[in-house]
Amino acid sequence: MTTMSPVMRMAHDISAQFRHLSLGEAADVIADHMRKFWDPRMRAQLVADVEQAGIHCDSHVAAAARLLRSGGG
Amino acid sequence: MALLKEPDLGTPAKPGPATVSVEVDGHPVTVPEGTSVMRAAALSGIDIPKLCATDSLDAFGSCRLCLVEIAGRPSTPASCTTPVTDGMRVRIQTPRLEKLRQGVMELYISDHPLDCLTCSANGDCELQDMSGVVGLRQVRYGYEGENHLDLDKDTSNPYFDFDPSKCIACSRCVRACGEVQGTFALTIEGRGFESKVSAGAGELFLDSECVSCGACVQACPTATLQEKSVVDLGMPNRTVLTTCAYCGVGCSFKAELRGDELVRMVPYKDGGANEGHSCVKGRFAFGYATHPERVTTPMVRDSIDDEWREVDWDTAISHVARRFRELQDTYGQGAIGGITSSRCTNEEVYVVQKMVRAAFGNNNVDTCARVCHSPTGYGLKQTFGTSAGTQDFRSVAQADVIVVIGANPTDAHPVFASRMKRRLREGAKLIVADPRRIDLVRSAHIEASHHLQLTPGTNVAVVNAMAHVVVTEGLTDESFVADRCEDFDAWSEFIAREENSPEAIEAITGVPAAELRDAARLYATGGNAAIYYGLGVTEHSQGSTMVMGMANLAMATGNIGREGVGVNPLRGQNNVQGSCDMGSFPHELSGYRHVSDDAVREVFETLWQRPIVAEPGLRIPNMFDSALDGSFRGLFVQGEDIAQSDPNTSHVTEALRALDLLVVQDLFLNETAKFAHVFLPGTSFLEKDGTFTNAERRINRVRPVMPPKTGKHEWEVPGEIARAMGYEMSYKHPREIMAEIASVTPTFAGVSFEKLDKLGSVQWPCNDAAPEGTPTMHVDAFVRGKGKFVPTPFVATTERSSRKFPLLLTTGRILSQYNVGAQTRRTANVTWHPEDVLELHPHDAEERGIGDGDEVTLASRVGRTRLRALLSDRMPVGVVYTTFHHPDTGANVVTTENSDWATNCPEYKVTAVQVGKGVTR
Ligand code: SF4
Ligand code: SF4
Ligand code: SF4
Ligand code: FES
């Protein structure tokens, strides 16, 4: 049913919880959550997966991934 | 110690200060108002003869053995039913009383078999004792008259016998079943000479409503109700005080042995969690510890297709250490990890996480709580500041409104359920939120005011709607919110939105709006309101959100910080709380402190002399994913059967197969061990020395009843692996491990084996501020300072019913079995649950041509399994239910990889399925 990678699926699950926030606020919260709870290899994987998905990626997930990348994962 | 006989003061204690002074045979004593003469006498050191009275039950006054004389009264009243009055003068030993008591005893004995010397209760029979105490010397009535001596024994229960020929109709069993257990399975049939105890309408015990808790056996003063083990092995002669290793209630027990053989487990009256009660598992189902299938020797093999080779401990440990190091050398420091078990002691868990963090040098440690209560950790930490239930169990006796959400305490937390039922019988109101009509909704003398029978997966919508009613109908506790909380305005603006109203969510949740409104009003205005919840809250895609939603609701109504209220997780396994407290999560060190906190890390680094990684490690599901992508290669699993207990079995087994080294430490060759390369034998709770922490944060001692059958304590093993890997880590006794835990964990700072041995138990936080522990949390301030309101928008799970999978499956457990059943399946508890069944509504069954007892196929998008159908109108139409106690059924073959967004706790409670008659492919 789902062909997303595990980290992509989890990132979508997280971002679905923060639709009530603006994109910028949501990205902060999501990236912060991932820094607190995700092993660095999962964050690196997400950044790679988002890059590969390009414009097809969910905007919240992509924004959070950008923060992870710029903040050094 | 020698056999511990706890004092029996005859009638229950009365609350309040000691204000009433009386004199018993010249001895002065002062007691609380309402205390019986019998209890007052016992407190003054004088035991009044008794048969029908015991201090776990309300006085009944039927045997007339406890008669006394009271100055100024001509009669001889029963001391058990007579309350003291100030200045009362009581006489216990007078010739008149002696004669009366001898007369009573003579009647009892004349209808009782005189086989004392060969009776199983010889030495532990109150009838025998009392005959001596009252000085009975002759029995004038023979057996010629009518008597009960020929009545048949009922041996149907696998654990105890009922021999009515020995019954003295004191009714203690009947009252224990009602008052203590709350099941009301027993009655006294008939009157006078005809009266006899009966389970149901003349049924056998096994066929009756009896849940085999054993309270009646414990209460019976004679050998009428007697453990089979006592009949077989004889009366025990020594006691070891310990703690049950099954559920999160954490009952205290007297393990009673005859020599080195465990004869029976008797719940301990001084046990803080259980106060003398227990369930069938803790009292009776301990036989697994000596089951022939237990493996007690280490074993290794190169490939999972090879046969196991038995080896000695040193060989096994050096093999494990060498292979782990090789994997790290080849694939990196983060390529290995460990999983701790909630069935192990705090000390055993602590050393595993220390082995991972200090010897492995990473944070890849997780615990089986990942799959049950990790959302509790997240949700309560965000809102209150720490991951812990707010109350002790005793608190429920002060609750006026009890809300049970996604929990089935009568099956999963039976002893707490008995306490709760007692309070409900006293008049507290009950709200149940559950898709299934659990027993609590309607049972003997209990009826829920509201059963919110919601569609699985809609918890958050329901709790939001309750909060919506509170906020929009002006039911908020404004002063509590203003004084104690923060972020209320943003939250209340969110929750007051129309989309959160009961009317707006009715179509999604299936809960009638009017009913939900009434329930919310009752919660907010009915007095002390307490929430108790279980895995029906946490095991959802929004498990953490739901925990925060309940916390919001409790704060908004001021139901936090005193007795009778609170938000309380009912923990599944005995040491879920403890294993989480001990730093088993990959992002937290002991006491729930994040690994990124430099000051916290420094404490550990100084003591351990190793750097701690400041980044979180892998959680269990991430370990599986990383095993499949090749970055995770070796795993140590302590006492957990992840291949059976974790969701989406085929995904899990694929991941386990991908590992280069899987080390399993367990009692039995479980499902996970099928994929292991090293098997290290574990110890049962009867061999352990340490502590468990129950759902009310109570730290209890577990004391060994026998030496480890494996030749090694389980707490020694991680230290030996660590040492073989080059990291020095050793302890001489588990007490040293607890001392280390206390030295690095502020909430445990005051805990030591010595203190536990002295006080019995303590509830953390236990430190200088609270040297004897903390029964109620967040009393004057929250752990995080202010309680934080967090908006909790409802987001529907992606797991939806469809044309192909039109039903929703939810899972749970039953009373007699425990978790994956590794222990209980190896006891006579299988009498009650020989297989997992699929409960479904008769309508759903009929549509599919399924009859009761038919074999059916249960299929989801990830797998299929076979089960027997049980038609039941407990289920709403469209929802089916099963348990996961048996590996043959493997209910988790069908559960999916969906999980809680915040913690990855699996969404066990919602799986779209189809059910078909027969076995289909
Ligand atoms: S074992 Fe428990 S449930 Fe069964 S009859 Fe005795 S008290 Fe009642
Ligand atoms: S079975 Fe035991 S407890 Fe019950 S009435 Fe008979 S003697 Fe009393
Ligand atoms: S299983 Fe739970 S309720 Fe039953 S005796 Fe053990 S701790 Fe108590
Ligand atoms: S003990 Fe008081 S009447 Fe039986």
Side-chain angles (χ1 to χ4, degrees):
Chain A
M1 197 189 242
T2 162
T3 49
M4 268 187 232
S5 70
V7 286
M8 265 299 219
R9 193 188 68 236
M10 284 156 50
H12 277 83
D13 289 347
I14 298 169
S15 75
Q17 306 300 318
F18 298 104
R19 298 283 164 196
H20 61 294
L21 302 180
S22 71
L23 183 64
E25 286 170 334
D28 277 340
V29 176
I30 298 165
D32 184 49
H33 182 87
M34 290 168 177
R35 284 196 202 97
K36 272 209 186 99
F37 297 102
W38 282 25
D39 182 278
R41 83 188 79 174
M42 295 162 63
R43 305 198 302 255
Q45 181 68 49
L46 181 72
V47 170
D49 286 359
V50 166
E51 245 159 48
Q52 207 187 7
I55 53 161
H56 302 294
C57 189
D58 172 90
S59 55
H60 281 60
V61 173
R66 265 197 302 280
L67 289 178
L68 289 181
R69 194 175 40 209
S70 59
Chain B
M1 64 170 90
L3 193 71
L4 175 66
K5 288 214 174 191
E6 295 164 277
D8 181 349
L9 306 184
T11 61
K14 292 290 169 191
T19 52
V20 184
S21 295
V22 296
E23 216 181 85
V24 184
D25 276 352
H27 298 269
V29 61
T30 306
V31 294
E33 204 181 318
T35 301
S36 69
V37 169
M38 175 178 278
R39 189 176 175 94
L43 288 168
S44 79
I46 302 170
D47 289 332
I48 300 177
K50 62 181 173 53
L51 277 172
C52 68
T54 183
D55 59 11
S56 57
L57 302 172
D58 288 339
F60 192 56
S62 71
C63 75
R64 312 295 299 163
L65 198 64
C66 67
L67 310 181
V68 291
E69 289 177 9
I70 295 173
R73 297 194 200 175
S75 63
T76 51
S79 62
C80 60
T81 49
T82 307
V84 288
T85 52
D86 205 39
M88 186 184 255
R89 278 180 298 128
V90 184
R91 300 206 49 203
I92 304 217
Q93 291 302 344
T94 68
R96 171 163 74 139
L97 291 172
E98 255 169 47
K99 202 151 182 279
L100 283 169
R101 291 191 193 125
Q102 282 170 359
V104 170
M105 274 316 288
E106 196 177 357
L107 278 173
Y108 276 119
I109 296 295
S110 67
D111 187 17
H112 196 84
L114 290 179
D115 57 359
C116 286
L117 291 181
T118 50
C119 175
S120 59
N122 188 15
D124 185 31
C125 171
E126 292 180 40
L127 190 67
Q128 194 181 40
D129 295 347
M130 287 307 129
S131 304
V133 167
V134 305
L136 187 67
R137 292 288 172 268
Q138 56 164 359
V139 177
R140 285 163 293 170
Y141 321 106
Y143 287 158
E144 309 79 46
E146 252 189 305
N147 60 46
H148 296 99
L149 302 178
D150 296 332
L151 295 177
D152 286 338
K153 246 189 186 182
D154 173 356
T155 58
S156 61
N157 186 288
Y159 295 118
F160 60 83
D161 292 341
F162 173 58
D163 179 356
S165 72
K166 293 181 172 166
C167 178
I168 58 169
C170 66
S171 169
R172 273 161 67 160
C173 54
V174 178
R175 289 177 287 139
C177 191
E179 287 174 37
V180 178
Q181 165 56 25
T183 292
F184 298 88
L186 302 179
T187 47
I188 295 262
E189 281 183 349
R191 303 183 71 109
F193 177 81
E194 293 300 321
S195 57
K196 68 182 203 339
V197 171
S198 164
E203 289 161 289
L204 292 175
F205 266 77
L206 193 64
D207 303 331
S208 72
E209 295 286 306
C210 167
V211 294
S212 204
C213 71
C216 56
V217 180
Q218 190 177 339
C220 181
T222 66
T224 314
L225 284 160
Q226 181 86 70
E227 297 93 344
K228 283 184 158 75
S229 60
V230 172
V231 177
D232 292 345
L233 302 171
M235 268 297 153
N237 51 23
R238 67 186 184 97
T239 303
V240 177
L241 288 179
T242 192
T243 303
C244 178
Y246 279 114
C247 86
V249 177
C251 296
S252 298
F253 277 93
K254 296 184 290 183
E256 296 192 343
L257 298 99
R258 186 178 175 87
D260 287 332
E261 188 150 32
L262 180 58
V263 177
R264 66 178 173 189
M265 299 285 280
V266 182
Y268 186 42
K269 281 206 278 195
D270 263 354
N274 57 321
E275 295 178 348
H277 189 37
S278 79
C279 80
V280 58
K281 295 188 285 288
R283 191 192 294 261
F284 294 123
F286 52 82
Y288 70 87
T290 48
H291 193 276
E293 277 167 23
R294 245 190 93 175
V295 181
T296 53
T297 317
M299 301 191 296
V300 298
R301 57 183 175 183
D302 297 325
S303 132
I304 62 169
D305 302 318
D306 293 346
E307 293 291 316
W308 285 109
R309 275 193 329 274
E310 288 193 357
V311 293
D312 60 28
W313 274 104
D314 288 347
T315 310
I317 288 192
S318 58
H319 178 83
V320 169
R322 182 175 45 80
R323 293 287 292 125
F324 272 145
R325 271 289 177 249
E326 283 169 7
L327 291 174
Q328 285 190 306
D329 291 344
T330 315
Y331 301 101
Q333 191 143 323
I336 62 173
I339 298 178
T340 70
S341 170
S342 301
R343 288 209 278 273
C344 291
T345 63
N346 288 320
E347 294 73 17
E348 290 164 341
V349 165
Y350 179 86
V351 289
V352 169
Q353 64 87 36
K354 180 172 175 180
M355 169 184 79
V356 172
R357 297 194 207 273
F360 294 5
N362 63 44
N363 284 322
N364 293 333
V365 60
D366 204 359
T367 179
C368 51
R370 174 65 53 211
V371 302
C372 66
H373 267 292
S374 51
T376 293
Y378 180 88
L380 294 184
K381 174 119 188 170
Q382 297 290 317
T383 46
F384 297 163
T386 195
S387 168
T390 58
Q391 314 298 122
D392 60 1
F393 290 147
R394 222 169 265 152
S395 160
V396 76
Q398 309 298 323
D400 302 307
V401 180
I402 297 172
V403 188
V404 177
I405 309 182
N408 187 7
T410 50
D411 279 63
H413 303 89
V415 166
F416 175 67
S418 292
R419 289 185 158 209
M420 185 185 269
K421 288 198 285 189
R422 180 186 284 233
R423 182 62 189 154
L424 291 168
R425 290 196 303 275
E426 287 168 1
K429 298 277 187 288
L430 173 67
I431 300 169
V432 173
D434 204 300
R436 189 161 167 261
R437 197 185 68 233
I438 56 171
D439 281 348
L440 264 187
V441 173
R442 202 170 303 121
S443 59
H445 307 287
I446 288 171
E447 173 127 34
S449 304
H450 302 285
H451 177 202
L452 310 179
Q453 202 166 15
L454 71 180
T455 303
T458 63
N459 285 339
V460 172
V462 168
V463 82
N464 282 351
M466 287 181 74
H468 175 93
V469 174
V470 168
V471 166
T472 56
E473 294 190 9
L475 307 176
T476 309
D477 182 338
E478 281 169 12
S479 71
F480 183 89
V481 166
D483 296 347
R484 302 278 314 266
C485 307
E486 63 188 24
D487 296 350
F488 176 76
D489 292 344
W491 174 78
S492 74
E493 184 275 317
F494 153 77
I495 209 76
R497 287 182 206 156
E498 185 48 32
E499 73 209 41
N500 290 319
S501 71
E503 292 71 21
I505 57 133
E506 179 172 333
I508 311 164
T509 63
V511 179
E515 173 108 37
L516 195 148
R517 278 192 184 273
D518 285 347
R521 290 172 191 140
L522 175 61
Y523 175 80
T525 62
N528 285 342
I531 296 174
Y532 293 91
Y533 70 93
L535 305 182
V537 157
T538 53
E539 291 176 345
H540 283 280
S541 63
Q542 278 200 302
S544 293
T545 314
M546 179 61 184
V547 173
M548 295 188 289
M550 295 183 304
N552 290 335
L553 182 65
M555 288 188 289
T557 51
N559 277 309
I560 285 285
R562 60 178 192 278
E563 270 206 290
V565 299
V567 179
N568 296 283
L570 294 172
R571 310 277 185 168
Q573 305 198 54
N574 54 322
N575 202 29
V576 172
Q577 180 74 52
S579 70
C580 298
D581 300 342
M582 290 302 104
S584 294
F585 287 134
H587 66 285
E588 276 169 347
L589 289 154
S590 66
Y592 305 100
R593 292 161 302 157
H594 202 272
V595 291
S596 63
D597 184 328
D598 295 341
V600 173
R601 269 200 334 281
E602 201 190 315
V603 172
F604 288 86
E605 289 174 340
T606 310
L607 186 72
W608 293 354
Q609 292 293 302
R610 280 288 163 111
I612 309 274
V613 177
E615 292 279 1
L618 296 170
R619 306 184 278 205
I620 294 173
N622 317 144
M623 291 178 188
F624 296 150
D625 292 336
S626 303
L628 288 170
D629 77 21
S631 68
F632 190 73
R633 318 292 295 214
L635 178 62
F636 177 92
V637 182
Q638 175 189 41
E640 197 198 351
D641 196 2
I642 44 183
Q644 199 190 336
S645 64
D646 284 36
N648 193 355
T649 310
S650 72
H651 177 75
V652 174
T653 55
E654 225 182 300
L656 296 178
R657 267 181 212 284
L659 293 170
D660 294 319
L661 178 64
L662 176 61
V663 182
V664 167
Q665 181 155 30
D666 211 302
L667 300 180
F668 303 103
L669 278 174
N670 57 19
E671 295 299 299
T672 310
K674 290 185 178 150
F675 306 93
H677 307 89
V678 180
F679 184 87
L680 303 176
T683 53
S684 76
F685 80 111
L686 295 173
E687 295 140 73
K688 291 186 191 299
D689 193 350
T691 58
F692 288 149
T693 309
N694 76 354
E696 40 163 16
R697 295 169 278 106
R698 186 183 299 281
I699 308 163
N700 273 312
R701 283 280 279 123
V702 189
R703 296 187 182 84
V705 165
M706 51 176 92
K709 289 189 170 298
T710 59
K712 198 175 281 296
H713 293 286
E714 216 168 309
W715 54 265
E716 295 176 292
V717 176
E720 292 185 9
I721 296 173
R723 280 207 299 284
M725 292 177 78
Y727 175 70
E728 181 52 37
M729 168 176 163
S730 61
Y731 304 92
K732 284 196 259 336
H733 190 274
R735 104 163 38 89
E736 294 177 1
I737 306 175
M738 180 48 88
E740 180 172 323
I741 295 165
S743 75
V744 292
T745 317
T747 43
F748 276 67
V751 182
S752 65
F753 276 29
E754 292 68 33
K755 183 179 280 183
L756 293 171
D757 290 342
K758 194 164 133 231
L759 298 181
S761 65
V762 292
Q763 289 171 271
W764 69 257
C766 173
N767 45 30
D768 286 347
E772 302 213 335
T774 311
T776 309
M777 293 197 81
H778 316 300
V779 173
D780 298 314
F782 285 92
V783 168
R784 69 181 295 286
K786 297 262 181 191
K788 184 181 168 68
F789 281 95
V790 180
T792 52
F794 168 63
V795 178
T797 167
T798 53
E799 184 72 14
R800 310 234 168 104
S801 51
S802 60
R803 222 157 47 102
K804 198 160 169 216
F805 301 109
L807 303 169
L808 291 179
L809 167 74
T810 182
T811 59
R813 60 166 77 167
I814 60 142
L815 171 70
S816 58
Q817 296 292 323
Y818 174 72
N819 208 350
V820 295
Q823 294 136 302
T824 43
R825 275 186 286 111
R826 292 182 172 95
T827 68
N829 278 26
V830 288
T831 315
W832 291 280
H833 190 74
E835 59 182 355
D836 292 319
V837 294
L838 185 78
E839 276 187 39
L840 77 171
H841 191 276
H843 174 84
D844 289 327
E846 194 189 329
E847 256 189 0
R848 292 165 176 77
I850 295 168
D852 201 34
D854 283 354
E855 198 168 9
V856 296
T857 301
L858 172 72
S860 77
R861 63 186 162 84
V862 304
R864 59 179 57 233
T865 185
R866 285 172 300 141
L867 291 153
R868 212 165 281 290
L870 172 70
L871 272 47
S872 155
D873 65 1
R874 281 169 183 266
M875 304 308 303
V877 174
V879 182
V880 299
Y881 169 88
T882 189
T883 48
F884 56 98
H885 302 305
H886 291 266
D888 307 342
T889 6
N892 282 326
V893 168
V894 299
T895 52
T896 72
E897 71 288 354
N898 282 13
S899 66
D900 172 44
W901 67 270
T903 65
N904 282 153
C905 178
E907 189 184 32
Y908 285 119
K909 301 292 179 184
V910 193
T911 309
V913 293
Q914 178 58 296
V915 178
K917 184 169 173 164
V919 183
T920 56
R921 308 190 129 260

